[in-house]
Amino acid sequence: MADLGRFSTQADMTAVSTSTQASAPAKGSFLTSFRAKFIALIGSAVLLSLLLGGAVALWNVQQLSRDASNEIENGLSKANEEYLSRYIDMTAQRADLMFARTFDQVKMLAQFTQGLVDDPKLGRDLGTLLSQDGAFQDQMVYDPDKHWLQNKAGESSVISVWGYLLDASGNMRADVADAVRDSGYFDLLVPSLMATGQNKLQMYYVGPKARPIMRTMPYSDQAQTFDKLYPGHNQQNWWDFFFPGVYEAWQGWAKDPSSRPVATDITILAPYVDAITGNLIVSYFHPIYTKARDDVAGMVGVDITLAQLTELVQGVKIAETGFAFLSQQGGNVLTVNAAGEDLLGLKQESATGAGVTGHERSLRKSRFADIAKLQMPAPGTTSITHVTVERNGKPEGVLIALRPLQPMNMWQPNAGIAAENLMLGFVVPDREIYASLYAAQHQIGTATSRIVKGILASVLAFLILVLAVSVALSRRFTAGLTALADAAARLTRADYDIQIPVKGQDEVAQVGTAFNSMAREIREYTATLEHRVADRTRELASASAEIQRLYEKLRDENLRLGAELDVARRLQMMVLPTPAELDRIPDLDIASHVEPADEVGGDYYDVLYVPGGAKIGIGDVTGHGVESGVLMLMVQSVGRALYERGVEDPCAFLDVLNRSIFKNVERTRSGKHLSLAFLDYSHDRVTISGQHEEVILIRGDGAVERLDTLDLGFPIGLEENILDFLSSISLPFNKGDMIVLFTDGITEAESEDGKLYGIEKLIDTALKAHGGSAAEASAAIIADVKAHIGTQKVHDDITLVVLKHR
């Protein structure tokens, strides 16, 4: 500093000396002054340093953002594919179980039939015995114009005998007549098979090529329909006309069972138009062999509609618009919803073969190249493929999972019998299954953008500050600033620890102090920037982990809840009365409609057959959902048990049922109870007991009676002993009379403006429809209620039962 001071003194003296000279030269411009150079030097050095530090920080932040996004994408993609794999495996097991249930019933009928073939005497004796019973007699009628025999309408099954099995007068050959008689066991066994297990369209027996009579249940205009759909069938053997090659293949199986493509005798037909019903169906055939097992003695079979197969795939729910489909291994799609058919680019065509009209809707002919090129996975494996389709004219990515079902023997026109693996497929748009990924990436991008903007703002602000300080300090610049220039050079090399020794308090000392302060600020800012980047890194990692945890929790909860609700809903549907049970009641025409507000409803309805009459129950559990549905199942089970024990007194029946339900409600602590009423019908009279909604009775002449049940009972499950509150009333119920039972989901249904449907409107609608069947009256009431509700959501369970005296 002493040297600097001496230099300053000498400069002052020189300046004074110069100023005294008359011819002294003029001063240079500001742009060429040392002050300007000092400002430019300091500004450039600081700017370069800040830009370099900021660029490194920005690069690190961007790299961290990309790494975090990639990690989340990989994790969510793996989780989604695992979820789809498990879901499709579970659904495939359900599909295999559905086929197995149908296989079992076909096998049961085939084993019984095979037993009669193996014991001809037993078959003849059984046929003779049944033919002596009026309920099993076949009253055959000859059609001279069409030249075939068929039994009269109204019998349990229809049996058709074709013209080539008759003589010119329409009489059956002796062996054909024996076959017709011996097939009478069909009416004895098949009704129970039709009423249990998998829903079936029809079951049938067809004789061997020598006498291919055809007996089918339920009854239909079989021969008439064949004449209409398949002209010429009556001039050619049934087997050769409709299913060429099947009979010959079975003959080969009889001689060599190892020649079967799949180790079972059951043969499935590719979907075709059924001649009797006109529906698109899938048939299951089981051959019957001769006693010596050297030839075919006929077959038994069952048909199910594609609508029943559709129930399986329509039950699949993936994201918002994901769907499932079922296809053959060659790509022919058997069942898919309309939206799915459009998304996959499918076109339905008819494939006519010998005797039957098939069904063709192939993935191979999709208008989208990616779909047409799909490769089917090997049996026992699942494939997941990303493809591109079009929706509303725009490309859209979708994820397709494929899973083969268990192999089976399948006959197809012009192709014969071969092993076939039906294929189950899941389709879900990328934008739905990866919604959480896109949201996470958006959040990461937003956070990164905030960090980048903060860094740029800090750099700009600090640069402005440095330039301002440099301009201010340059005013006091002296010749001793060489040391400061050296220090500035070191600063440009990112040596932020530089400190200039400061002595004295003159202008140079002040510049030195300011320089040192500036160096410390740069060092502190650099350290602070690194800490901020580290903090942001930790925040992003924590956010990624939290997103992953929440996703896994939500996925597991959705799977558990969906499985529980599906089981409860299926249990409820399984215990509802079947059409076969309702048809057993000779005097009553019964129709019903049950529609839960949630997946599981709380309304109760049952029909118990009593010889000479019936017991009909209807109730409404408080609330709806799983707990209400469980209580409804309890009531159904206890009611069924009391019915089986022969409890006939209405009040005793309700008293015992209430005690059982009260104890169960008390044990489960659910706080639920229900209104419940029973209607006992016998010999043209009805007895009503229990407390529920009003009972509407419409006489045959149109007179309306409203029966209040308030004083006939007490809420079930609310108190342990309600015997003192129970009573009943008995009324005549004659031919043409109609009774309407309902829950408050109908009378309290709200329109869009909040107006209730009401019992008066219910009576008016029922009165208008009482001249028709019970089913027609039920349909009319439900249609009117739905029109009243409009497009808004149904908030309560809806149950309706209509009884009409035949």
Side-chain angles (χ1 to χ4, degrees):
M1 292 296 294
D3 294 338
L4 286 172
R6 288 193 296 272
F7 176 79
S8 178
T9 301
Q10 292 172 359
D12 292 342
M13 292 175 64
T14 302
V16 172
S17 176
T18 303
S19 63
T20 60
Q21 298 178 9
S23 60
K27 294 183 179 179
S29 66
F30 173 79
L31 293 178
T32 59
S33 67
F34 195 85
R35 177 184 175 189
K37 294 178 181 180
F38 170 81
I39 294 173
L41 176 62
I42 297 300
S44 299
V46 173
L47 178 61
L48 177 62
S49 178
L50 290 176
L51 290 177
L52 180 61
V56 172
L58 290 175
W59 183 86
N60 286 332
V61 170
Q62 294 288 354
Q63 186 63 35
L64 177 62
S65 174
R66 286 191 295 269
D67 292 345
S69 179
N70 290 337
E71 285 296 323
I72 294 174
E73 180 177 1
N74 293 336
L76 288 178
S77 297
K78 182 178 180 181
N80 286 332
E81 292 183 1
E82 290 176 354
Y83 162 73
L84 281 179
S85 295
R86 286 196 294 269
Y87 194 2
I88 199 172
D89 289 350
M90 180 180 67
T91 307
Q93 292 174 7
R94 290 175 55 202
D96 288 333
L97 179 61
M98 183 194 74
F99 285 111
R101 290 174 63 189
T102 304
F103 287 175
D104 289 343
Q105 291 201 307
V106 175
K107 288 179 181 177
M108 184 183 302
L109 180 59
Q111 289 170 355
F112 188 92
T113 305
Q114 188 68 61
L116 297 180
V117 172
D118 292 344
D119 190 347
K121 183 178 183 303
L122 175 61
R124 288 191 299 272
D125 292 345
L126 179 59
T128 301
L129 177 63
L130 292 176
S131 66
Q132 295 171 358
D133 188 332
F136 295 91
Q137 289 180 352
D138 297 310
Q139 300 182 26
M140 306 299 290
V141 178
Y142 176 64
D143 187 325
D145 294 331
K146 302 298 184 181
H147 191 48
W148 42 250
L149 271 175
Q150 187 164 277
N151 58 337
K152 291 183 177 180
E155 298 185 14
S156 298
S157 64
V158 56
I159 181 165
S160 303
V161 182
W162 313 117
Y164 46 83
L165 303 177
L166 308 175
D167 59 22
S169 300
N171 298 314
M172 293 182 286
R173 301 196 317 247
D175 62 326
V176 176
D178 291 342
V180 171
R181 177 200 64 204
D182 294 345
S183 67
Y185 77 91
F186 196 86
D187 290 351
L188 181 66
L189 177 63
V190 171
S192 61
L193 295 178
M194 288 289 292
T196 59
Q198 186 75 18
N199 291 335
K200 294 169 281 292
L201 181 64
Q202 57 194 11
M203 299 186 77
Y204 39 87
Y205 162 79
V206 179
K209 265 194 173 183
R211 46 187 178 278
I213 64 171
M214 186 172 185
R215 184 183 288 272
T216 304
M217 183 174 291
Y219 189 97
S220 65
D221 294 333
Q222 182 169 261
Q224 295 90 331
T225 305
F226 275 33
D227 289 341
K228 179 180 180 181
L229 292 180
Y230 302 113
H233 76 93
N234 204 22
Q235 285 76 45
Q236 186 177 358
N237 190 279
W238 188 92
W239 288 101
D240 294 333
F241 184 87
F242 287 103
F243 305 106
V246 172
Y247 197 94
E248 289 74 15
W250 288 346
Q251 288 177 318
W253 293 2
K255 298 175 183 177
D256 182 13
S258 64
S259 64
R260 298 176 299 184
V262 180
T264 178
D265 284 327
I266 294 180
T267 302
I268 293 182
L269 305 187
Y272 67 98
V273 177
D274 176 54
I276 298 176
T277 64
N279 294 325
L280 194 62
I281 65 171
V282 177
S283 295
Y284 301 74
F285 286 177
H286 194 300
I288 306 300
Y289 298 113
T290 60
K291 182 177 181 179
R293 300 298 190 272
D294 57 357
D295 204 350
V296 177
M299 72 91 176
V300 294
V302 61
D303 293 343
I304 66 172
T305 65
L306 278 183
Q308 292 163 330
L309 284 175
T310 302
E311 293 178 2
L312 175 69
V313 296
Q314 287 185 344
V316 173
K317 302 297 181 185
I318 313 170
E320 295 182 9
T321 63
F323 61 90
F325 66 89
L326 190 67
S327 74
Q328 297 175 239
Q329 65 185 21
N332 182 29
V333 177
L334 304 181
T335 176
V336 66
N337 60 34
E341 181 175 347
D342 181 67
L343 187 64
L344 293 175
L346 303 180
K347 180 180 180 181
Q348 184 162 319
E349 302 174 348
S350 294
T352 302
V356 295
T357 301
H359 165 86
E360 180 70 22
R361 185 170 51 186
S362 178
L363 295 171
R364 299 286 179 262
K365 297 181 180 180
S366 170
R367 66 178 184 272
F368 304 128
D370 286 358
I371 300 296
K373 293 187 295 185
L374 277 176
Q375 297 297 318
M376 302 304 170
T381 63
T382 300
S383 69
I384 298 179
T385 308
H386 289 267
V387 301
T388 300
V389 297
E390 287 185 6
R391 189 194 294 266
N392 300 325
K394 296 181 181 179
E396 181 174 11
V398 297
L399 200 63
I400 298 183
L402 298 174
R403 173 76 182 188
L405 302 184
Q406 293 296 325
M408 56 190 73
N409 297 314
M410 179 173 286
W411 177 85
Q412 299 188 67
N414 306 318
I417 301 176
E420 173 79 14
N421 291 89
L422 295 183
M423 198 72 57
L424 182 64
F426 282 6
V427 182
V428 58
D430 288 347
R431 57 182 169 79
E432 294 179 7
I433 199 166
Y434 292 118
S436 57
L437 169 62
Y438 298 152
Q441 289 176 334
H442 175 73
Q443 292 178 357
I444 292 174
T446 301
T448 302
S449 177
R450 288 198 303 267
I451 295 173
V452 170
K453 291 178 180 178
I455 292 174
L456 292 176
S458 300
V459 170
L460 180 60
F462 193 78
L463 177 60
I464 294 173
L465 177 61
V466 169
L467 290 176
V469 172
S470 299
V471 171
L473 292 179
S474 66
R475 296 179 183 274
R476 302 179 181 181
F477 191 85
T478 64
L481 290 180
T482 302
L484 291 177
D486 294 337
R490 293 176 60 186
L491 189 63
T492 61
R493 295 191 294 272
D495 184 5
Y496 301 125
D497 294 328
I498 181 70
Q499 290 290 294
I500 300 173
V502 178
K503 297 180 180 179
Q505 297 181 352
D506 59 3
E507 292 82 0
V508 176
Q510 294 176 5
V511 171
T513 301
F515 184 88
N516 291 338
S517 176
M518 179 182 65
R520 285 193 299 271
E521 289 179 1
I522 294 175
R523 181 176 64 250
E524 292 171 359
Y525 178 78
T526 303
T528 300
L529 182 61
E530 293 173 352
H531 290 315
R532 292 180 65 185
V533 171
D535 291 341
R536 293 298 186 183
T537 301
R538 286 191 294 272
E539 291 175 2
L540 290 173
S542 176
S544 174
E546 181 65 12
I547 290 171
Q548 181 68 18
R549 184 186 68 80
L550 292 175
Y551 168 77
E552 293 177 353
K553 181 178 179 181
L554 180 60
R555 181 194 61 196
D556 295 342
E557 185 65 16
N558 282 342
L559 289 175
R560 180 190 65 78
L561 183 58
E564 290 178 356
L565 290 177
D566 184 61
V567 169
R569 179 179 58 79
R570 293 185 65 189
L571 284 174
Q572 280 196 306
M573 293 299 104
M574 288 171 63
V575 302
L576 290 178
T578 65
E581 290 178 285
L582 300 180
D583 291 339
R584 293 179 64 189
I585 304 171
D587 296 338
L588 297 183
D589 178 17
I590 303 176
S592 66
H593 178 88
V594 179
E595 182 177 339
D598 292 331
E599 289 86 349
V600 182
D603 279 3
Y604 163 77
Y605 138 66
D606 202 359
V607 177
L608 304 176
Y609 171 74
V610 179
K615 190 177 190 72
I616 299 95
I618 187 166
D620 186 1
V621 181
T622 56
H624 44 82
V626 174
E627 288 187 352
S628 299
V630 170
L631 184 55
M632 172 268 193
L633 290 174
M634 291 181 188
V635 173
Q636 195 278 341
S637 300
V638 175
R640 171 63 68 173
L642 292 173
Y643 157 75
E644 296 293 341
R645 289 294 301 273
V647 179
E648 297 180 356
D649 181 76
C651 294
F653 190 98
L654 277 170
D655 179 56
V656 177
L657 185 146
N658 173 72
R659 292 176 185 275
S660 300
I661 296 303
F662 175 83
K663 293 175 181 178
N664 282 343
V665 170
E666 189 176 50
R667 174 179 292 178
T668 59
R669 300 178 182 177
S670 66
K672 298 283 185 179
H673 59 274
L674 73 153
S675 63
L676 178 64
F678 284 96
L679 187 150
D680 296 89
Y681 167 79
S682 179
H683 303 297
D684 297 336
R685 292 194 69 81
V686 292
T687 300
I688 303 172
S689 59
Q691 185 186 91
H692 186 59
E693 303 291 334
E694 291 186 43
V695 176
I696 301 173
L697 173 57
I698 302 177
R699 297 297 183 183
D701 59 0
V704 178
E705 299 179 25
R706 294 173 56 175
L707 307 175
D708 192 351
T709 63
L710 183 63
D711 295 330
L712 300 182
F714 196 81
I716 301 299
L718 194 59
E719 294 291 341
E720 183 173 8
N721 186 358
I722 64 170
L723 185 58
D724 294 337
F725 298 93
L726 300 176
S727 62
S728 62
I729 58 174
S730 181
L731 300 166
F733 188 56
N734 300 315
K735 185 173 182 180
D737 292 349
M738 184 172 76
I739 289 179
V740 179
L741 305 176
F742 58 93
T743 61
D744 60 4
I746 289 183
T747 55
E748 295 180 5
E750 293 187 8
S751 62
E752 294 179 352
D753 58 1
K755 184 179 180 181
L756 300 183
Y757 185 76
I759 191 169
E760 288 78 14
K761 192 170 184 181
L762 172 59
I763 293 173
D764 182 60
T765 304
L767 189 59
K768 293 177 181 178
H770 90 285
S773 65
E776 291 170 344
S778 174
I781 292 171
I782 294 301
D784 194 56
V785 171
K786 291 297 182 66
H788 178 80
I789 295 173
T791 60
Q792 62 180 332
K793 180 181 178 182
V794 176
H795 298 289
D796 197 4
D797 304 329
I798 292 177
T799 299
L800 175 70
V801 182
V802 178
L803 299 81
K804 188 165 185 180
H805 197 298
R806 299 180 191 273

